Structure formats: C-alpha cells, structure tokens
Amino acid sequence: MKKPCLAFGAAIVLAAQFSTVHATEFKTAVVGQVIADRTLTIGKLSMQLPSGEWILAAKAQVGGGSQPNMPAPPLHRFAVVQVRDKTISAVIMFSGPAWSYAVTQWSDEPCKNVTSYIVKSTLNQTRAMPECFVVANLNAGAFEALSDTHKEVARWAHSNSYALPVPMLQVHHTKYHKGDYFRLNAHFAGGLDSAPAAEAWGREAASSLTAMITRATPLGQLPELPAFASTLGATQPVAAQPMAGSATAAAPGSAEARLRQLKSLLDSKLITPEEYEGKRKKIVDEM
C-alpha cells in the first residue's frame, strides 16, 4: 500500500522541479552571459524579457540612501542587449532595491529631472505610489550621458565591435510601492516617426510591471519588441562575448562593420574627426 504513495510523492517533487522559474539573479549574473531563461530577478521583483537572445552587457550596484530609522537598500541594475547584424537593436535596463524595506510615504518625484521628452506622464500616480512614464528621442552621444551603467553598455559594445544605433528611442518607467520600486529603461533603434509605437509598447509594459510590484502577479512580462525595433536587419543570434582585455576577445569584423563602428565612435565623441578620417582611410585602403 505504500508504493503508490511513494510514487505520488515523487511525482510531486518532479512536477515542482519542472515548474520552477530559474531566473537570473543579480548576485550570480556574469557580464557576457546569455540570459537563457529571459527572466531577471532583483529582490522580490522578477521581469521576463521579450523573446529573442539577450546578453548581459552590464550590471551595477548603487549605494542606498536612508529613510527615518531605516537604511535604504542598495539599487541593483541589469543591462541586457539584443544584437542584429552587429548593431545593438535594443537595450533594456531593469533596476530595483536589493531587498524590500518599510516605507509608508514617498516624497520622491521620479520625473522631476526629465526636461527633454516626447511623452511625459505620471500615469496612475498617488502620493503613496509615485510613478513616471517617459518616451524620449536620443541623438548621438546622449545614450552614454544618461548614467554610468549606460557608459558601461557603450564600452561593452565598442569592445565587442557592436555599433550603437543613432537615433535611438528611450522608454522609461518608474514606480514606487510600499517597500519596493523599479526602474525600466528600454532603448530601441528608431527615430521620431516610431515614437507612437514605442509609447504603445511602454504603456503595455507599465501595466504588466505595475501588476508585478503590487503583487497582483509574481512576474512582470515585457511585451514583444515593437515592430520597428524587431525588424532592424535580419535576426542574427549572437553568442556571448568576452569583456575587453580577455585573451579570447572577438576578432574584428568586416570592413563595413569596422566603418560603422568607427562612425559610432565619432558620433559619440570618443575619437576626434582627425582620428576618424585617418582610421577610415586605413580601412578603405585595406579593402
């Protein structure tokens, strides 16, 4: 009579194993790895990325502030990228606190420093739940100026011969709730004509992430990439690349890719026009 019980118990264990979401957590994530499960977890918050191959290009820990009688936890931030034809077509950054903590009322205004935007909204903001939603257009060099993590992504891209697109659209969403908050920064290759599609994508993402942070659902799911971003060139899955300085660094690409990368460096003001022209001539002479 005991054997069926044992078999039933084993079945429960196996079912539990196969139903577990093996999310990529901040403390174990390694820059350069492919996010195989497409799920990022920070503290009690989990977000699932759109379909496709995503590579971790940067991660950062920013020291926490303080609340009355309660130190605030540090901020953890992931930055993942999707690559098509040696160009980064999408960058998604997900930030949140390392752990939840007791906050009864927020005084922060997430959008107070946003001065350049196409769309700006506080959505369903309340005094206890500050919220910010922004769609902005980024020109050459503006991406790296947003934060140190954006600079890290740019350095990772340059070291692996990936070009950052110009122009680029940014979708930003921040929401605070009790002891948690998150910040989403999504960047897509595209111009002003694609802003309505980026806004529609961002509002759908905001709805799902709001359900996550209010605990209506355990997992926030980002919608599929907007059509203008997902059709940049033919899809080319890219294996994880080592950081600059590694003995197995990626070999230089084609002349076309090198010229595009060189132009990106010039646009980002990382090299002078004279350096650009000299290197451009050398690549052309080698063709």
Side-chain angles (χ1 to χ4, degrees):
M1 297 296 293
K2 293 183 179 180
K3 288 184 179 181
C5 295
L6 289 173
F8 180 71
I12 293 176
V13 172
L14 287 173
Q17 289 176 342
F18 283 106
S19 63
T20 300
V21 177
H22 299 288
T24 300
E25 297 185 0
F26 181 87
K27 63 183 179 180
T28 58
V30 177
V31 172
Q33 78 176 82
V34 173
I35 310 300
D37 51 25
R38 296 182 12 246
T39 303
L40 304 175
T41 295
I42 298 175
K44 293 183 178 180
L45 307 178
S46 292
M47 180 188 76
Q48 188 168 65
L49 298 162
S51 60
E53 182 176 271
W54 295 91
I55 304 171
L56 182 62
K59 71 174 192 175
Q61 175 173 306
V62 182
S66 62
Q67 295 288 332
N69 304 317
M70 177 69 69
L75 174 75
H76 285 172
R77 181 182 297 136
F78 285 108
V80 296
V81 302
Q82 195 166 92
V83 181
R84 299 173 187 274
D85 290 343
K86 298 297 286 185
T87 296
I88 292 179
S89 59
V91 180
I92 291 179
M93 296 186 183
F94 178 51
S95 308
W99 63 84
S100 300
Y101 62 115
V103 177
T104 57
Q105 183 171 295
W106 298 91
S107 59
D108 188 19
E109 170 49 65
C111 273
K112 63 183 177 182
N113 295 323
V114 178
T115 58
S116 178
Y117 54 87
I118 303 169
V119 176
K120 179 179 177 181
S121 172
T122 54
L123 296 180
N124 300 309
Q125 174 169 282
T126 65
R127 184 167 178 79
M129 294 175 59
E131 186 170 12
C132 171
F133 177 77
V134 168
V135 178
N137 187 46
L138 302 179
N139 295 317
F143 178 86
E144 290 95 325
L146 292 176
S147 73
D148 288 341
T149 306
H150 285 80
K151 291 184 178 70
E152 285 296 319
V153 171
R155 282 194 286 266
W156 182 87
H158 296 152
S159 70
N160 289 292
S161 299
Y162 299 150
L164 286 169
V166 177
M168 186 185 293
L169 286 169
Q170 175 191 17
V171 175
H172 172 82
H173 183 216
T174 297
K175 191 175 187 70
Y176 295 73
H177 176 65
K178 295 184 179 179
D180 281 319
Y181 62 93
F182 72 83
R183 293 172 187 162
L184 171 73
N185 270 299
H187 306 272
F188 307 116
L192 290 172
D193 58 333
S194 299
E199 180 184 355
W201 182 93
R203 289 184 182 277
E204 186 177 349
S207 177
S208 180
L209 294 179
T210 295
M212 169 197 69
I213 199 169
T214 57
R215 302 292 190 268
T217 179
L219 180 68
Q221 294 183 307
L222 295 185
E224 293 303 306
L225 294 181
F228 71 88
S230 60
T231 56
L232 175 67
T235 301
Q236 295 289 339
V238 181
Q241 298 292 336
M243 290 296 287
S246 169
T248 59
S254 65
E256 179 184 356
R258 291 165 64 194
L259 286 169
R260 288 167 59 190
Q261 175 66 18
L262 190 62
K263 184 62 165 60
S264 177
L265 291 173
L266 175 66
D267 292 339
S268 301
K269 298 182 180 179
L270 296 176
I271 60 175
T272 65
E274 292 76 15
E275 290 173 325
Y276 166 78
E277 188 57 35
K279 294 179 181 295
R280 186 197 66 80
K281 186 176 184 302
K282 182 177 179 181
I283 293 173
V284 172
D285 289 343
E286 292 173 356
M287 294 175 64

